[in-house]
Amino acid sequence: MPDKKPGDTPGDAAVEKPGELSGQEAASAVPQRQPSCVLCGCCLEGCPLFAATGREELSPRAKALLAGPSKFAALPEGGLPEADVAALCSLCLACGRCEKLCPQGVAVPALVAALRAAHPDFRQWLWKQWITRLAPFWGLAGAGAALAPDALVPERLGLALKGLRGLRPGAGLSPWLSITHFPVDACRQRTGGRPVAVFDGCVGGGPRRAWAETTRFLLRGLDSAPVAARFSCCGSTLGAAGLPQEQAEVRRANVAAWREAGRPLVVAYCATCRKGLVDYVGAGGDIFSDAGEEALWRASVLPLSALLAGARGKAGRGAPAVVGYHRPCHADVRDGLGDADHALLSGLLGARLRTPAKGGCCGFGGIMQLSAPQLSGAVGRACWDTLDGALGFTAAPEAVPAYVLTGCSACVLQLAATAPAGARVGHWLEIVRCS
Ligand code: SF4
Ligand code: SF4
């Protein structure tokens, strides 16, 4: 609370009102060591929200200006009205594309997460329950959502409900790709013979168990028997939603499970999970016992596709003539391996695989699906337009199917929810034959 100056009245800006973020509070909501935005605009071309709407107030520059340290330093003591802060918080997909383009190193998703944490609302509570308590019931919820007639679903819930349908048992693509060569020696070289534990994540560990089963099949082909580890959610969606305490809890639990399993390699097949796990490094919060353990964790998290690099496959019955690839925003993580899923699929599918030169964001955004479904849906549809540009399924529907693979559970659900009629989308694991 700022000091009261002579002449201040209850109506003066110097008096803190309920629901406002004072300059001091706002500054404490900003992550430590955040650099200042210099308004250069380099981030604009990467922001899917800005691209889909053309609205500067939704851009990363606007968020960095309003929520970054430079602005808070210059704020009048009265602060920002809470309604404005809350609106700002909800309108970000946490895709991280702006961060990669920013010469200053401004981390807009972290700024937004801090503001969400400072201003919790019912959506965060809902998201927390959904992720931490209701995951065992996602399949059931998906089956229920599939029964709900579209005409009876309120527009605001339409996108979330369509996403839910993607979680119903039996959803997914039919397999058509047989692996004819497993790169056993190359895999052994990469792993150094260390044991492997699979990080299934919330979706692969729940309603899409088929992903987990195919992963075990592939690891057997690589002559690697995974060790058991009781992992939970990676925590990235909790952090982005402004739930730092819950995020820290699942991070600590996952590292404890890894420790208990003998500190094996941790293989993930969801791009967002993999990024979420890599982000434990440098996050603080007593996750690791010491710097050595932290360094070992960093070296231990790998994408499944990296172990399969060099695999060969044969397309069988049911293979589409052309397959699109959606590159998840979180495919590029700080482990130097790049988009290993794309590299693997390029090798396995050759010319059959088409990838948009400039891939779009699917528009999922976690909690944003609840707070701004129209924007989330608009970004998703723009993403499908980009895929259509690379595949041409609208121009030649008889010859080219709208068939898309990706490597992120959130992208699968969001692309399924925003797909044009007749389009199919799935995780690349779904096309692999387990025989
Ligand atoms: S994180 Fe993504 S949606 Fe959010 S401001 Fe940055 S580019 Fe835009
Ligand atoms: S956030 Fe970074 S890239 Fe965007 S305007 Fe500010 S300094 Fe430039």
Side-chain angles (χ1 to χ4, degrees):
M1 185 83 177
D3 290 337
K4 208 166 184 299
K5 294 187 280 295
D8 281 343
T9 69
D12 287 331
V15 177
E16 195 175 349
K17 303 181 192 77
E20 285 189 345
L21 191 66
S22 73
Q24 198 182 6
E25 285 170 336
S28 69
V30 176
Q32 297 294 304
R33 301 185 301 277
Q34 266 282 3
S36 291
C37 172
V38 293
L39 305 180
C40 64
C42 295
C43 53
L44 296 182
E45 66 165 301
C47 178
L49 270 182
F50 183 61
T53 63
R55 288 165 57 186
E56 171 76 33
E57 73 271 24
L58 300 181
S59 74
R61 179 164 61 186
K63 292 176 177 72
L65 174 68
L66 289 169
S70 53
K71 176 61 184 176
F72 283 132
L75 267 181
E77 283 297 334
L80 294 169
E82 181 172 327
D84 292 351
V85 173
L88 170 68
C89 288
S90 67
L91 301 177
C92 177
L93 298 160
C95 66
R97 286 170 175 248
C98 51
E99 199 174 343
K100 290 172 198 154
L101 294 170
C102 177
Q104 293 292 104
V106 176
V108 170
L111 289 174
V112 171
L115 284 171
R116 282 174 172 156
H119 289 268
D121 68 11
F122 75 97
R123 284 174 288 244
Q124 275 154 303
W125 182 86
L126 270 181
W127 197 246
K128 178 178 156 182
Q129 305 309 316
W130 180 246
I131 300 293
T132 60
R133 288 176 189 266
L134 298 175
F137 305 104
W138 287 3
L140 202 63
L147 295 175
D150 284 345
L152 297 182
V153 176
E155 198 185 330
R156 193 167 176 78
L157 295 179
L159 189 66
L161 209 75
K162 283 182 185 164
L164 261 184
R165 288 173 184 163
L167 294 173
R168 71 190 187 282
L173 306 172
S174 301
W176 49 264
L177 184 78
S178 300
I179 303 298
T180 54
H181 168 74
F182 285 91
V184 177
D185 291 339
C187 174
R188 197 169 292 136
Q189 224 168 357
R190 180 173 280 282
T191 62
R194 281 180 67 192
V196 167
V198 180
F199 189 90
D200 288 306
C202 302
V203 180
R208 292 291 186 99
R209 277 302 298 173
W211 299 354
E213 284 156 17
T214 303
T215 297
R216 270 77 181 168
F217 165 79
L218 291 170
L219 286 173
R220 279 197 299 279
L222 290 169
D223 209 12
S224 174
V227 296
R230 293 174 60 83
F231 293 127
S232 57
C233 169
C234 69
S236 62
T237 191
L238 295 168
L243 296 161
Q245 199 179 323
E246 291 76 2
Q247 181 185 38
E249 278 167 21
V250 296
R251 282 173 162 177
R252 277 194 289 271
N254 283 330
V255 170
W258 172 66
R259 221 175 267 139
E260 208 172 297
R263 298 189 177 91
L265 290 171
V266 180
V267 170
Y269 48 78
C270 166
T272 296
C273 290
R274 174 180 157 220
K275 180 181 184 302
L277 296 173
V278 170
D279 284 349
Y280 289 17
V281 176
D286 299 329
I287 302 172
F288 300 103
S289 56
D290 54 37
E293 188 180 56
E294 188 168 12
L296 183 60
W297 174 267
R298 181 177 188 143
S300 298
V301 178
L302 285 174
L304 170 66
S305 44
L307 300 188
L308 286 160
R312 290 194 289 276
K314 186 167 180 282
R317 280 186 60 191
V322 174
V323 174
Y325 177 72
H326 168 72
R327 181 189 181 85
C329 295
H330 296 149
D332 278 329
V333 298
R334 299 179 289 156
D335 59 7
L337 292 171
D339 188 354
D341 288 355
H342 185 251
L344 173 68
L345 289 177
S346 297
L348 287 171
L349 306 183
R352 198 186 296 266
L353 191 72
R354 305 272 171 86
T355 307
K358 206 172 168 200
C361 168
C362 72
F364 178 69
I367 197 171
M368 189 166 142
Q369 247 204 0
L370 296 178
S371 53
Q374 305 88 341
L375 284 174
S376 174
V379 175
R381 286 187 291 278
C383 184
W384 273 105
D385 288 345
T386 313
L387 288 161
D388 196 7
L391 291 166
F393 52 78
T394 300
E398 328 73 34
V400 181
Y403 189 102
V404 172
L405 298 177
T406 188
C408 165
S409 51
C411 295
V412 169
L413 301 181
Q414 170 77 355
L415 288 175
T418 54
R424 307 296 316 277
V425 59
H427 194 289
W428 61 265
L429 283 166
E430 292 169 26
I431 65 167
V432 176
R433 280 206 173 115
C434 295
S435 56

